[in-house]
Amino acid sequence: MIGLTGMPLPDFAPGSVWLTGAGPGDPGLLTVLALHALTVADVIVHDALVESSILALAPPTVERYDVGKRSGRISPQQKDITTMLVSMAHRGHRVLRLKGGDPFMFGRGQEEIAGLSAAGIPTRVIPGLTSGIAGPAAVGMALTGRDNQAVTFMTGTGPDGAVPSLDWRALVRGAQTLVFYMALRQLGEITHCLSAAGLPADEPVAVLCEATTPRQQVLFSSLSQVATAAATLQPPAIVVIGPGARCSLPANYQ
Amino acid sequence: MIGLTGMPLPDFAPGSVWLTGAGPGDPGLLTVLALHALTVADVIVHDALVESSILALAPPTVERYDVGKRSGRISPQQKDITTMLVSMAHRGHRVLRLKGGDPFMFGRGQEEIAGLSAAGIPTRVIPGLTSGIAGPAAVGMALTGRDNQAVTFMTGTGPDGAVPSLDWRALVRGAQTLVFYMALRQLGEITHCLSAAGLPADEPVAVLCEATTPRQQVLFSSLSQVATAAATLQPPAIVVIGPGARCSLPANYQ
């Protein structure tokens, strides 16, 4: 059990849903509000990306439901998840909806909030550390700097499962560093698009798999070589392209 | 005092520096690691943007040093801050360097890490929730969505204090939503650049001042009107431009 005293914490009212980000994986990167929610929730409805060490922080009696979307397997549709949350809230439960990373950064949290709102369920959003920032930080990569003043975050997988239709030429000229979520399976096509848009073959690229977890893997490569080099890596992964991918750990970084 | 038990937490070794993000303001949005650091640090060296309610979570005996940069006042130079951190670590203190938001998202944390590393000081980076994501989330704004697949974060103030030299046309065409840090004083020039780059006059803009604190203020406006409408607002502020600025709180959002 975890005790949090001395800080005013909001009341998790029965019949409400807290849409909460679990962060990138390290339980120490949970927010205090997320940890509080884990200790007082009646039910937890979580994604596949939420670490078991985080779920283990809830009391053992709490009901847990895994509604994670995994590629290649049958998983609940978004409307079914919303129906489930509404039904649990109507039964008077404190419902913790726990998503990996941040619920509003490529987490489609707004769709769940809209569904819950339409059903009259009181909701709260608790942002979480997004893997696209916390993952690079964990390996000493700064996405911004004195000469690196813009960073773009985007998904490598659109709603139809393909690479999204983006203006690649503008993306390459707009921000110095690009950070892709859910891009590992589309890496060949993404690097082809960026190369055709004018990004040099030797542009630095870093691939971070399961960042901040005990299974973390980091690959440093270049635009022209990363798709081949990353062929055996498994999602979830964050791909950093540009000057932000250059930094790495100092020798005495812990 | 705050007690954290049941979670394995890293040892904050005497003579080391933890470069830590304090998040946007709400103490509940601290990470568990940041809260842990606050309870065990010997000295805290913090920016102006760190809330007093967060500093109050440290034991009263802990020495606190405010090294915040405030516009218009004399404040410590970066090299003086690094010298101070090195000196404290050499004296065997557990030094908590606490920055508002995330230390690597426009926080120049990498410069401090490089300085500490050169001096042989063991360091750790603890990422924090960045105001550019957590601020909008607190007022129900999702920066990404099914039809909003890229978001660019940039600073409105370059190293010389002016608007940075960016390819505004590319920025406008690259990502659907743009999020500016430190942009309030440059808002007239920024909106002029974006307008000249082709962004429509009615593009939605939201200005979030002191997001997630008790002093939070939110202004909803448009590209052509926001500079005038925001004239009386005070920094710190986050400016969201594009579809991400459209969302707002459902009626039963807490």
Side-chain angles (χ1 to χ4, degrees):
Chain A
M1 270 297 280
I2 286 162
L4 292 168
T5 56
M7 189 191 289
L9 289 166
D11 184 38
F12 196 163
S16 66
V17 177
W18 282 13
L19 177 64
T20 305
D26 178 352
L29 297 178
L30 282 169
T31 63
V32 172
L33 281 174
L35 182 58
H36 168 58
L38 275 162
T39 62
V40 299
D42 297 312
V43 290
I44 300 173
V45 180
H46 66 89
D47 284 354
L49 288 179
V50 178
E51 284 286 294
S52 57
S53 58
I54 287 175
L55 294 171
L57 297 168
T61 51
V62 173
E63 288 176 65
R64 294 162 172 79
Y65 299 89
D66 180 351
V67 294
K69 296 184 183 67
R70 290 181 188 83
S71 46
R73 296 195 214 169
I74 295 166
S75 55
Q77 298 294 304
Q78 186 59 59
K79 67 172 169 46
D80 298 334
I81 297 173
T82 304
T83 302
M84 184 180 178
L85 297 172
V86 169
S87 157
M88 288 171 167
H90 277 157
R91 269 181 278 151
H93 293 315
R94 296 169 186 86
V95 185
L96 173 55
R97 174 69 175 112
L98 198 60
K99 283 171 172 274
D102 177 82
F104 278 5
M105 280 291 279
F106 307 109
R108 297 198 186 152
Q110 66 276 25
E111 297 178 26
E112 291 184 24
I113 288 292
L116 292 164
S117 181
I121 308 293
T123 56
R124 175 185 279 263
V125 172
I126 301 173
L129 281 175
T130 188
S131 309
I133 296 175
V139 293
M141 286 179 199
L143 302 178
T144 67
R146 219 172 260 274
D147 303 310
N148 186 12
Q149 297 166 338
V151 53
T152 298
F153 295 82
M154 71 209 90
T155 177
T157 307
D160 57 357
V163 171
S165 299
L166 297 165
D167 184 335
W168 297 95
R169 206 169 168 77
L171 287 166
V172 163
R173 296 166 63 100
Q176 291 100 332
T177 294
L178 307 176
V179 179
F180 287 86
Y181 292 61
M182 295 167 283
L184 200 54
R185 295 197 194 285
Q186 331 277 2
L187 204 47
E189 193 175 343
I190 288 168
T191 54
H192 174 78
C193 290
L194 292 171
S195 182
L199 210 60
D202 63 352
E203 190 76 5
V205 179
V207 181
L208 317 174
C209 296
E210 303 199 75
T212 85
T213 75
R215 303 172 304 283
Q216 173 174 294
Q217 276 189 282
V218 187
L219 167 72
F220 291 98
S221 186
S222 65
L223 188 68
S224 61
Q225 298 183 342
V226 69
T228 305
T232 59
L233 296 177
Q234 293 299 316
I238 291 290
V239 179
V240 183
I241 302 180
R246 262 191 214 114
C247 314
S248 65
L249 292 175
N252 51 355
Y253 195 88
Q254 299 179 313
Chain B
M1 271 295 279
I2 285 162
L4 291 169
T5 56
M7 189 190 290
L9 289 165
D11 183 39
F12 196 163
S16 66
V17 177
W18 282 12
L19 177 64
T20 306
D26 178 352
L29 296 179
L30 282 169
T31 63
V32 171
L33 282 174
L35 182 59
H36 168 57
L38 275 162
T39 62
V40 298
D42 298 312
V43 291
I44 300 173
V45 180
H46 65 89
D47 285 354
L49 288 180
V50 178
E51 285 287 292
S52 57
S53 58
I54 286 175
L55 294 171
L57 296 170
T61 52
V62 174
E63 289 176 66
R64 294 162 173 79
Y65 299 90
D66 180 351
V67 294
K69 296 184 181 67
R70 291 182 187 80
S71 45
R73 296 195 213 169
I74 295 167
S75 56
Q77 298 294 305
Q78 186 58 59
K79 68 172 168 46
D80 300 334
I81 297 173
T82 303
T83 303
M84 184 180 180
L85 297 173
V86 168
S87 157
M88 288 171 166
H90 277 158
R91 270 183 276 151
H93 292 315
R94 295 171 187 85
V95 185
L96 173 56
R97 175 69 175 111
L98 198 59
K99 283 171 172 274
D102 177 82
F104 278 4
M105 279 291 280
F106 308 109
R108 296 198 187 154
Q110 65 277 25
E111 298 178 24
E112 291 184 24
I113 287 291
L116 292 164
S117 181
I121 308 294
T123 55
R124 176 185 279 263
V125 173
I126 301 174
L129 281 174
T130 189
S131 310
I133 297 176
V139 293
M141 286 179 199
L143 301 178
T144 67
R146 219 173 260 272
D147 302 310
N148 186 13
Q149 296 165 339
V151 53
T152 298
F153 295 82
M154 71 208 90
T155 176
T157 307
D160 57 356
V163 171
S165 298
L166 297 166
D167 183 335
W168 297 96
R169 210 170 165 76
L171 286 167
V172 163
R173 296 166 62 100
Q176 291 100 332
T177 294
L178 307 176
V179 179
F180 287 87
Y181 291 62
M182 294 167 281
L184 200 55
R185 295 198 196 284
Q186 332 278 1
L187 204 47
E189 194 176 341
I190 288 168
T191 53
H192 174 78
C193 290
L194 292 171
S195 182
L199 210 61
D202 63 353
E203 190 76 6
V205 180
V207 181
L208 316 174
C209 296
E210 304 200 74
T212 83
T213 77
R215 304 171 304 281
Q216 172 175 295
Q217 277 189 282
V218 187
L219 168 71
F220 291 97
S221 187
S222 65
L223 188 68
S224 61
Q225 299 184 340
V226 69
T228 306
T232 59
L233 295 178
Q234 293 299 315
I238 290 290
V239 179
V240 183
I241 302 180
R246 260 191 216 113
C247 314
S248 65
L249 292 174
N252 52 353
Y253 195 88
Q254 296 181 316

